[in-house]
Amino acid sequence: MDNASYQNRRGEVEHYFDRTAAQTWARLTSDAPVSGVRATVRAGRDRMRTTLLSWLPQDLRGRRVLDAGCGTGAASIELARRGADVLAIDLSPTLVGFARERLPESLGPGSIDFRSGDMLDAALGRFDHVIAMDSVIHYDAPDAVQALARLAERTSTSMVFTFAPRTALLALMFAVGRAFPRGDRRPSIVPVAPEKLRALMAAHPDLGDWQWGRSERVSSGFYTSQATEWRRT
């Protein structure tokens, strides 16, 4: 997308995950011991990944799936084991490098094409399904919906993604985070009320043939995120 707010935030996200916190995220997404707070985040992310994957078919042979914001590749590996041809993309070349290093010797019937870049790049082609776990939570709601709409243009069946639901705790964390010097901040998570997100999606001119499906909130210590299914009618 060309709008300045999306481009600026995308640059912040890329810098944070590729340079500032790449080693932290590599450890968080591994089996290495972590602190109590990070353990709750790890547990929450594991539950969220399981939830999103449970909403996609168990048999994905012959299907092309986009793992948008693949990180270190845990979801991509599971999708490939179900038979999918996975295009896994992330803004951070460093995290994509970790993902390649963690590939098991066998992926079963599927395949994974890891790339670093923009998940909205039309050159990536078309997909049957998209999974986007915690990939749009750093963007203002209108930008997040526009990004999802861009993905929907090239998706035939379903998208499963997450957003940060507006809760008292998340609103407080967002306010406190803005008080830190810019160089010390991670890109802020932008909470949005589910009903607002749903209304923005319903009003989008390019999304008339898509409908809201299942939704489930996952809360684990400092991790709170809401899983959402979006299906083409």
Side-chain angles (χ1 to χ4, degrees):
M1 296 194 304
D2 297 329
N3 54 313
S5 59
Y6 177 85
Q7 294 291 339
N8 289 339
R9 182 51 63 90
R10 189 186 72 172
E12 294 174 8
V13 172
E14 179 179 3
H15 187 277
Y16 176 78
F17 285 101
D18 194 52
R19 303 180 190 179
T20 307
Q23 293 295 332
T24 298
W25 278 90
R27 188 175 185 85
L28 181 69
T29 57
S30 71
D31 296 327
V34 291
S35 67
V37 169
R38 287 178 177 167
T40 67
V41 174
R42 176 187 282 172
R45 285 178 54 81
D46 288 346
R47 283 176 51 197
M48 177 56 75
R49 186 184 311 107
T50 298
T51 298
L52 294 176
L53 289 170
S54 74
W55 293 349
L56 295 175
Q58 287 298 311
D59 186 352
L60 287 167
R61 286 173 294 182
R63 306 289 184 89
R64 193 164 188 252
V65 181
L66 176 67
D67 187 357
C70 64
T72 54
S76 298
I77 291 171
E78 171 60 26
L79 292 165
R81 284 173 171 162
R82 296 185 190 183
D85 294 320
V86 183
L87 196 155
I89 192 164
D90 198 280
L91 285 173
S92 168
T94 302
L95 292 184
V96 170
F98 290 138
R100 290 192 178 107
E101 291 173 2
R102 294 180 183 182
L103 271 178
E105 290 186 4
S106 174
L107 291 172
S111 65
I112 304 176
D113 177 4
F114 280 116
R115 303 188 193 182
S116 58
D118 188 345
M119 65 184 182
L120 303 185
D121 185 355
L124 299 178
R126 300 190 62 82
F127 302 93
D128 297 287
H129 303 278
V130 169
I131 180 171
M133 178 173 152
D134 296 346
S135 301
V136 297
I137 61 174
H138 300 289
Y139 300 96
D140 291 335
D143 286 346
V145 169
Q146 182 61 23
L148 291 166
R150 288 277 299 275
L151 290 173
E153 291 174 358
R154 297 179 287 113
T155 304
S156 66
T157 305
S158 74
M159 297 173 55
V160 294
F161 62 94
T162 62
F163 65 93
R166 181 170 289 282
T167 66
L169 176 59
L170 278 179
L172 176 61
M173 291 171 64
F174 180 66
V176 170
R178 300 184 77 165
F180 286 98
R182 180 167 295 276
D184 296 335
R185 297 182 207 165
R186 63 171 292 171
S188 58
I189 294 172
V190 184
V192 57
E195 57 273 17
K196 177 180 179 180
L197 182 67
R198 190 167 185 169
L200 286 170
M201 292 164 62
H204 197 286
D206 298 330
L207 299 174
D209 58 348
W210 286 82
Q211 65 181 11
W212 190 278
R214 290 167 283 192
S215 188
E216 182 175 332
R217 186 170 299 181
V218 172
S219 296
S220 175
F222 277 73
Y223 180 87
T224 299
S225 192
Q226 188 141 341
T228 302
E229 179 188 40
W230 208 14
R231 299 192 65 84
R232 189 181 286 277
T233 56

